[in-house]
Amino acid sequence: MRSLWNDEDAAPFLDSPLALRAYTSRLLGQEPSLVLHGGGNTSAKATVTDLFGDQQSIIYVKGSGWDLATIEPAGFAPVRIEPLLRMAELERLSDSDMVRAQRAAMIDPAAPTPSVEAILHAIIPHAFVDHTHADAVVAVSNTPNGRERIESIYGDRVLIVPYVMPGFVLAKTVRELSRGVDWETLEGIVLLNHGVFSFGPDARSSYERMIALVSEAERYLEREGALAAPEVGPAGGGEANETLRELAALRLAVGRARGAPVVATLDDAAEARGFADLAEATVVATRGPLTPDHVIRTKPLPCVAAGDWEGAVARYAAEYQRYFDRHAGGEHRRLDPAPRWIVWPGVGSVGIGGSARDASIVTDLARHTTRAIQWAERLDEWRALPEADLFAVEYWELEQAKLRRAGPARPFAGQVALVTGAARGIGRATAEALRRAGAAVAAVDLDPSVERFVGPDLTPIVADLTDPEQVEACVRRTVRAFGGLDVLVSNAGLFPPSRRLEAMDDDTWERSLALNLDSHRRLLRAAHPFLALGFSPAVVIVASKNVPAPGPGAGAYSVAKAGLTQLARVAALEWAADGIRVNVLHPHLVLDTGAWSDEVVADRARHYGLTPEAYRTNNLLRVEITSADVASAVVALAGPTFGKTTGAQIPIDGGSDRVV
């Protein structure tokens, strides 16, 4: 591992210890083998002048909810050191009381809640302190004789601390073990099965000491022949329809056990497949996580299975119940028993989460865990913490408090939606609305600008939906990205040039039918097997007011949309047995889309003898219909409000005297 310190990059921060602390914290956060997804913490001690002109010794410590990869000075909580040191002298202190006391000691009540390791950072008598969960260090300590191996690497240059719970207990343990220790002779602290601390008089020395300590562990693994590349298998294969249907079935089984929809992220890369195909994978994967912190995301163990997902998940849930019964002692309410990480022989790995971001985090943790398992196995044997210690972290009072504070889940949390025609207008507004409601969204459009529409919970797909192969491919990509499909918004369409029937050319007619009707039929066909394995599956077809009230010159469009509506009605009849609802929206004059330029609006207004302003509100309610209005209707139709409705046709047109 090499230092990422750069004099030129660091120069703007040299006059501010806090800014420099943030800079080196981000250097740590850029290295996933040191910290992952909010893990680790850093601090800096300083003297500040308060409102009354008095000098106060404080510690800036990473605040809860901040990630080292992106942390800014505002992400550090300023806490007075004296109360932290006094807390360290107490015989006992619950973690909840510790958090309250730490907040009371802050000099800025608007700052984030301090890390639970604030007391430990305070008792280390160095200005800067860094803490990571370095893969290499933890892999060495996660062996039967891990302590002896750590001693052989570092000698007496580090304080070795046996695993104890984070927070007050860990701070108290370090304080007792360090009595009489000359801190100037120490370069760091190794917390067995957990991580490593480094420290120094300035940000750079503390950061580079961390890099040096971790590099020593890596060189040790290399000398022992353990740092060889992980096992690999044949990459890919996750695009096959059979595998994707299995993935959707897996997701459904896990969601049922969890009691809520989930996103499932497939990792079929060579490394994931290589681990899943190891003969001993079932044994080594179920000995515990890389660090106890991961148990919050991954649960203590993965589920190792290949098929019969209902049975596999049921067996996992039953074993989780026994694990809970062994350790709960009547003091806890059981969390859901569903697995978060699946080791799938022959395929790879699957991360499970309540959102796409959560699922991808589990996938990242799994990659690092499987790599470390193989290092430890080459050294000796992978041996993580006893399950009682893992249970203590999973049911830690601070984590339970977070769950109690969490508000209700968003209405589409864990659900997967595919929206066509998503580059602009109704499609884009719908994709954004579903994402805000908690869904993971695949946004499909022929226009490459859809690729600018990105995020951890959104997959942009450029596809020509008049091409049957591309229709199939966009459904496969959706399922591969998120594990299944629950909501299909079939919206893609075009409004061809106005032509009376006697002047209609074949190309205009066929282009309209190809996109406005045929592509929807193919999309329904491709989506059905996955919708049938979805959570509260729903299809929303975006048709047109031209179905009940066609206009002259719009024959190609009106006929295609009428056929689309009839297609939706048949789908509602045929798919009801699968629990799939199919409903239709009929928007009218949605002018904030790419199809309606000011010139087109003015031309259509003249056709009806109206001003552009009057044309925009040419309906009974005299209101303008926007893409956001239609998107709101789509979300309502796809959600629980219309959970018992199928085969409906709903106008979004402000009221039309030709329809009413």
Side-chain angles (χ1 to χ4, degrees), residues 152-159 185-189 199 213 216:
S152 72
I153 296 171
Y154 302 114
D156 57 4
R157 293 180 292 120
V158 302
L159 179 69
T185 67
L186 293 179
E187 298 175 17
I189 302 172
F199 29 76
L213 290 171
E216 287 186 74

Side-chain angles (χ1 to χ4, degrees), residues 566-584:
Q566 194 75 341
L567 176 67
R569 296 175 68 195
V570 173
L573 291 168
E574 294 182 352
W575 293 2
D578 297 318
I580 303 169
R581 298 181 296 111
V582 185
N583 293 293
V584 180

Side-chain angles (χ1 to χ4, degrees), residues 22 31 49 101 217 255 276 284 295 349 368 374 415 479 511 547 591 610:
E31 177 46 70
T49 303
V284 296
V295 75
S349 173
H368 286 262
Q374 291 174 79
Q415 290 196 277
V479 176
R511 283 180 62 239
V547 173
L591 304 183
L610 299 171

Side-chain angles (χ1 to χ4, degrees), residues 123-168:
I123 66 177
I124 295 174
H126 286 272
F128 288 78
V129 179
D130 293 28
H131 170 42
T132 75
H133 303 143
D135 291 353
V137 176
V138 180
V140 173
S141 74
N142 279 4
T143 57
N145 56 343
R147 183 185 184 101
E148 290 76 12
R149 291 181 182 277
I150 293 295
E151 288 174 343
S152 72
I153 296 171
Y154 302 114
D156 57 4
R157 293 180 292 120
V158 302
L159 179 69
I160 300 176
V161 180
Y163 175 77
V164 293
M165 277 286 290
F168 175 75

Side-chain angles (χ1 to χ4, degrees), residues 578-638:
D578 297 318
I580 303 169
R581 298 181 296 111
V582 185
N583 293 293
V584 180
L585 285 176
H586 292 313
H588 181 50
L589 280 184
V590 184
L591 304 183
D592 60 339
T593 69
W596 293 89
S597 66
D598 290 341
E599 292 76 15
V600 171
V601 171
D603 179 68
R604 297 302 297 167
R606 281 193 299 271
H607 178 78
Y608 287 98
L610 299 171
T611 66
E613 292 71 24
Y615 182 69
R616 290 178 183 277
T617 59
N618 187 24
N619 53 61
L620 296 177
L621 295 177
R622 296 293 183 260
V623 294
E624 185 172 353
I625 311 301
T626 68
S627 294
D629 296 327
V630 182
S632 294
V634 171
V635 171
L637 267 182

Side-chain angles (χ1 to χ4, degrees), residues 439-658:
V441 180
V444 181
D445 204 289
L446 178 62
D447 186 345
S449 69
V450 76
E451 294 186 326
R452 297 198 297 267
F453 192 21
V454 296
D457 49 3
L458 193 141
T459 290
I461 301 173
V462 178
D464 178 356
L465 295 178
T466 64
D467 180 334
E469 291 185 1
Q470 293 189 49
V471 170
E472 296 276 351
C474 77
V475 173
R476 288 197 301 269
R477 283 189 60 185
T478 302
V479 176
R480 178 179 170 81
F482 302 125
L485 180 60
D486 308 301
V487 176
L488 174 63
V489 183
S490 200
N491 165 73
L494 62 86
F495 194 91
S498 181
R499 296 281 191 279
R500 293 179 63 85
L501 292 177
E502 66 271 19
M504 181 75 65
D505 59 282
D506 289 348
D507 182 63
T508 297
W509 179 267
E510 289 166 3
R511 283 180 62 239
S512 179
L513 289 178
L515 182 58
N516 293 329
L517 177 56
D518 292 345
S519 73
H520 295 259
R521 177 186 61 80
R522 294 189 184 102
L523 183 60
L524 289 172
R525 181 179 62 192
H528 176 266
F530 303 105
L531 289 167
L533 293 169
F535 294 92
S536 303
V539 177
V540 179
I541 301 289
V542 180
S544 171
K545 186 273 298 183
N546 279 38
V547 173
Y557 182 77
S558 299
V559 169
K561 288 292 188 176
L564 176 60
T565 301
Q566 194 75 341
L567 176 67
R569 296 175 68 195
V570 173
L573 291 168
E574 294 182 352
W575 293 2
D578 297 318
I580 303 169
R581 298 181 296 111
V582 185
N583 293 293
V584 180
L585 285 176
H586 292 313
H588 181 50
L589 280 184
V590 184
L591 304 183
D592 60 339
T593 69
W596 293 89
S597 66
D598 290 341
E599 292 76 15
V600 171
V601 171
D603 179 68
R604 297 302 297 167
R606 281 193 299 271
H607 178 78
Y608 287 98
L610 299 171
T611 66
E613 292 71 24
Y615 182 69
R616 290 178 183 277
T617 59
N618 187 24
N619 53 61
L620 296 177
L621 295 177
R622 296 293 183 260
V623 294
E624 185 172 353
I625 311 301
T626 68
S627 294
D629 296 327
V630 182
S632 294
V634 171
V635 171
L637 267 182
T641 301
F642 287 88
K644 297 182 180 180
T645 299
T646 193
Q649 299 179 52
I650 299 177
I652 306 292
D653 59 8
S656 169
D657 56 9
R658 296 181 59 205

Side-chain angles (χ1 to χ4, degrees), residues 165-185:
M165 277 286 290
F168 175 75
V169 176
L170 176 57
K172 189 80 172 173
T173 301
V174 171
R175 179 177 173 277
E176 294 302 320
L177 291 176
S178 64
R179 288 189 186 277
V181 169
D182 181 0
W183 283 90
E184 294 302 319
T185 67

